[in-house]
Amino acid sequence: MDILEQVHSQKVYFCTDEALANAQVQCLEVLYDFNQTRPSEYDKRQAIMKDLFATVGENCYIEPPLRANWGINTHIGNNVYANFNLTLVDDTHIYIGDSVMIGPNVTIATAGHPIDPDLRRDVAQFNIPVTIGNNVWLGAHVVVLPGVTIGENTVIGAGSIVTKDIPSNVVAVGNPCRVLRPITEHDKEYYYKNRRIHE
């Protein structure tokens, strides 16, 4: 198994391959260019995103600064918005669906390290894909951990640490993140606490 197969195998491997490190630097060079764009350079940002990511849909906006381990392992749908300081630990694939909203200071991580200190001393790592469904909202400071799938239309409350799969059509919060309640007809009438949408 070559190093790229190991990286995407979901098994433990050792991060000592020089060619892999050199390839990552090339990706980080593209990311650097994105983060140095001026606010008025919308078209330039769009062009760089097409070079940076595996796929990126139409009408996507990511506010710099953006951090990513690779970029090329992240797949972004249409109409995605990400606020400041999105961090993509995309050592393997991250799938972000259509119409996803990402608050400031969100981290989506596919990579982890074994608990055993001897393995960590030898730079052992594993990577498990993350999937964010269509029309999900990740609140500010959310962290999504390796292997997690978040179902469509779900809201993840600010500051949540998502350690396991979250179903579709729910509000989930906390550390670790748990389902608080389903999204219901009530949410069509009230946008925040007791504030009505149409008043």
Side-chain angles (χ1 to χ4, degrees), residues 2-8 13-28 69-70 72-73 91 125 127:
D2 70 23
I3 188 61
L4 283 179
E5 290 174 322
Q6 292 177 49
V7 164
H8 296 293
Y13 66 100
F14 297 91
C15 305
T16 55
D17 187 273
E18 186 175 346
L20 191 66
N22 291 338
Q24 186 176 25
V25 169
Q26 295 173 8
C27 296
L28 295 177
N69 280 17
W70 286 91
I72 58 172
N73 292 325
D91 292 62
Q125 181 171 319
N127 310 311

Side-chain angles (χ1 to χ4, degrees), residues 44-65:
K44 184 176 181 180
R45 287 182 186 172
Q46 297 300 303
I48 293 171
M49 284 196 295
K50 291 187 186 305
D51 289 337
L52 178 64
F53 296 121
T55 56
V56 60
E58 298 299 317
N59 194 35
C60 292
Y61 186 86
I62 297 176
E63 188 72 61

Side-chain angles (χ1 to χ4, degrees), residues 34-109:
F34 178 84
N35 283 328
Q36 301 312 306
T37 56
R38 300 183 66 83
S40 59
E41 294 181 311
Y42 176 82
D43 291 339
K44 184 176 181 180
R45 287 182 186 172
Q46 297 300 303
I48 293 171
M49 284 196 295
K50 291 187 186 305
D51 289 337
L52 178 64
F53 296 121
T55 56
V56 60
E58 298 299 317
N59 194 35
C60 292
Y61 186 86
I62 297 176
E63 188 72 61
L66 166 68
R67 308 290 178 222
N69 280 17
W70 286 91
I72 58 172
N73 292 325
T74 295
H75 311 256
I76 299 176
N78 298 310
N79 305 308
V80 171
Y81 172 81
N83 212 321
F84 300 101
N85 295 318
L86 172 61
T87 298
L88 301 167
V89 186
D90 60 345
D91 292 62
T92 194
H93 300 288
I94 294 173
Y95 300 95
I96 299 173
D98 296 337
S99 302
V100 171
M101 296 178 65
I102 301 173
N105 301 304
V106 166
T107 298
I108 303 172

